[in-house]
């Protein structure tokens, strides 16, 4: 009778436990009443160019799977985690999909190494040593945290693009205000020109504010807090003082647009300098390797004599 080693038993237990947890999350359960009410009351519009399937395309099976897993986890509140809601809202990614990506990625990182080792063993070409358990745990942790890292990196690029859109929006609003347009009309006309996802987001926010009877500048302030883009709050604050002189508001918008463009240019220069510094590192390493290859034979001969 063949005896199984302790590492093999532990690996099998981890694989079986991971599969049981995934199956448990996929099974339908009693939904949380608070989560259901939050989903019914939400009126947020995702970014039209970033949300999965927002362009009318059908979601892939992997997206559908992660959405189902994420929705099940959120309904059960079974996994404590910090969710970057502002970043997800900016990118137009549903919270359920992000949670599903984390859970499915971690489960795959935990199971796949052990499953690969088991398949190699069945094929008769197994490894000389079993795959350690900490390899699966490390891969699962990497997949879990990489989902947040990827979202933050994409959100950082999206916020930079949003700031450029806000600068253009402020300039057009200043021109509309200079053409004697009212405060609300100037905002709506400025947002109506262009089909970028930034202007589409601003335009949808202004349209919803108009239907809800909310001042458009208040809606823009809320949007700036929701997306963590404070540059959008400045023109909203300026237009909230629309009862003053139109020329003063026009001047303030011009100064804000100029200052924002200056900050964006400074950020671009800093990023370019950082990229230049990083590009020097590979050349320095190669130079050191070449010098070592050249100097080693000569040094070996001198030491040997």
């Amino acid at each position: 009778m063949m005896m199984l080693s302790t590492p093999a038993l532990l690996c099998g237990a981890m694989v079986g436990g991971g599969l049981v947890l995934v199956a448990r999350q996929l099974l339908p359960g009693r939904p949380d009443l608070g989560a259901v009410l939050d989903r019914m009351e939400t009126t947020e519009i995702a970014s039209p160019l970033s949300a999965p399937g927002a362009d009318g395309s059908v979601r892939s099976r992997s997206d559908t799977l992660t959405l189902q897993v994420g929705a099940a986890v959120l309904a059960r509140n079974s996994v404590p985690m910090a969710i970057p809601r502002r970043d997800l809202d900016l990118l137009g990614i549903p919270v359920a999909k992000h949670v599903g990506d984390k859970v499915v990625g971690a489960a795959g990182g935990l199971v796949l190494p052990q499953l690969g080792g088991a398949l190699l063993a069945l094929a008769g070409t197994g490894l000389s040593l079993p795959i350690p358990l900490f390899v699966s745990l490390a891969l699962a942790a990497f997949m879990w945290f990489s989902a947040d890292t990827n979202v933050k990196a994409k959100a950082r690029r999206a916020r930079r693009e949003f700031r450029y859109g806000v600068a253009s929006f402020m300039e057009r609003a200043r021109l509309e205000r200079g053409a004697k347009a009212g405060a609300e009309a100037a905002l709506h006309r400025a947002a109506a020109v262009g089909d970028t996802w930034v202007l589409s987001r601003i335009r949808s926010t202004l349209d919803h504010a108009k239907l809800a009877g909310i001042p458009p500048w208040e809606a823009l302030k809320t949007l700036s807090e929701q997306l963590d883009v404070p540059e959008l709050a400045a023109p909203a604050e300026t237009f909230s003082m629309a009862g003053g002189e139109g020329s003063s508001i026009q001047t303030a918008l011009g100064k804000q647009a100029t200052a924002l463009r200056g900050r964006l240019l400074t950020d671009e220069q800093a990023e370019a300098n950082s990229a230049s510094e990083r590009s020097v590192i590979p050349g320095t390493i190669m130079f050191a390797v070449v010098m070592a290859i050249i100097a080693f034979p000569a040094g070996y001969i001198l030491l040997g004599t």
Side-chain angles (χ1 to χ4, degrees):
M1 181 177 180
M2 183 177 61
M3 299 297 294
L4 296 177
S5 62
T6 302
L9 290 175
L10 290 176
C11 293
M14 291 299 299
V15 172
L19 294 175
V20 169
L21 289 177
V22 172
R24 180 178 179 273
Q25 295 298 338
L26 290 175
L27 292 176
R30 185 184 299 275
D32 180 69
L33 180 59
V36 173
L37 293 177
D38 289 340
R39 289 195 296 268
M40 293 177 62
E41 294 176 358
T42 182
T43 57
E44 299 172 1
I45 300 298
S47 173
L49 300 185
S50 302
D55 56 352
S57 61
V58 180
R59 290 190 178 97
S60 63
R61 291 184 178 180
S62 60
D63 290 340
T64 303
L65 174 63
T66 54
L67 279 170
Q68 292 175 350
V69 173
V73 173
L74 290 175
R76 294 175 179 272
N77 294 322
S78 55
V79 180
M81 66 183 75
I83 301 175
R85 295 185 180 274
R86 290 182 175 180
D87 295 340
L88 295 175
D89 192 12
L90 177 64
L91 298 174
I93 299 176
V95 176
K97 184 181 185 306
H98 177 67
V99 175
D101 288 337
K102 290 171 67 71
V103 173
V104 173
L110 184 65
V111 172
L112 287 179
Q114 306 300 332
L115 184 60
L119 292 176
L120 289 175
L122 290 176
T125 58
L127 301 176
S128 58
L129 294 175
I131 299 176
L133 181 60
F134 72 85
V135 173
S136 296
L137 294 176
L139 184 58
F142 172 77
M143 297 298 295
W144 177 272
F145 291 108
S146 65
D148 291 332
T149 304
N150 293 334
V151 165
K152 290 179 180 178
K154 292 179 181 179
R156 186 163 52 249
R157 293 191 295 268
R159 283 194 176 91
R160 183 184 306 164
E161 184 179 352
F162 202 98
R163 291 185 179 99
Y164 278 106
V166 169
S168 177
F169 172 73
M170 290 166 61
E171 188 64 31
R172 287 199 297 270
R174 182 185 70 84
L175 295 175
E176 293 290 345
R177 187 63 175 169
K180 306 303 180 182
E184 294 190 16
L187 288 174
H188 283 278
R189 291 178 184 177
V193 180
D195 56 355
T196 63
W197 71 271
V198 177
L199 291 176
S200 297
R201 188 67 180 266
I202 295 175
R203 186 162 54 245
S204 64
T205 300
L206 294 175
D207 292 341
H208 285 156
K210 185 177 180 179
L211 293 175
I214 302 172
W217 37 87
E218 295 296 334
L220 292 180
K221 288 181 183 178
T222 303
L223 181 63
S224 69
E225 297 174 357
Q226 179 182 340
L227 304 182
D228 194 18
V229 183
E231 289 80 3
L232 185 59
E237 185 66 28
T238 301
F239 271 99
S240 66
M241 302 181 295
E245 294 292 334
S247 59
S248 62
I249 294 177
Q250 185 180 1
T251 302
L253 287 174
K255 292 180 179 179
Q256 291 171 0
T258 302
L260 179 55
R261 287 196 178 94
R263 290 198 299 271
L264 291 172
L265 180 59
T266 301
D267 293 341
E268 290 290 343
Q269 291 175 345
E271 185 176 356
N273 293 335
S274 177
S276 300
E277 293 174 358
R278 290 195 301 269
S279 65
V280 176
I281 297 176
T284 303
I285 295 175
M286 181 164 293
F287 176 77
V289 171
V290 171
M291 290 300 298
I293 293 174
I294 295 174
F296 178 77
Y300 183 77
I301 294 173
L302 289 176
L303 292 176
T305 56

